[in-house]
Amino acid sequence: RKQIGKDVQRTGTSHPLFCGGGGELSCGEQLVLDVLLAYEVRDGRVGYTQSMNVLVKFLLLVFRDSERTFWMLCALLDDYLPG
């Protein structure tokens, strides 16, 4: 969880949705964290790997919904990038 939190704040911070301040997570960053933690629970084998946060941020910008973002992340990782 600690590594995910660090990575979430490191990338894509120029977009208003992901601009946190003073060490606090922005609303968008919190959504990214929630999606990544949910995926980590869903697939303990994969868990979290660096750069998944970039993919989740992109998906959130496209779908504007954390639940649809989560399920698209699952589809991408399970169906298109298995193994």
Side-chain angles (χ1 to χ4, degrees), residues 2-56:
K2 188 175 183 179
Q3 185 62 45
I4 296 172
K6 286 181 182 179
D7 288 348
V8 165
Q9 291 185 302
R10 269 189 222 154
T11 55
T13 56
S14 62
H15 191 280
L17 183 63
F18 306 118
C19 291
E24 297 291 319
L25 292 177
S26 69
C27 179
E29 289 172 329
Q30 186 62 54
L31 291 173
V32 173
L33 182 63
D34 293 345
V35 169
L36 290 171
L37 290 174
Y39 187 80
E40 186 176 47
V41 169
R42 181 182 184 272
D43 189 343
R45 184 181 55 84
V46 173
Y48 170 76
T49 59
Q50 203 166 15
S51 297
M52 286 173 74
N53 64 319
V54 176
L55 177 58
V56 170

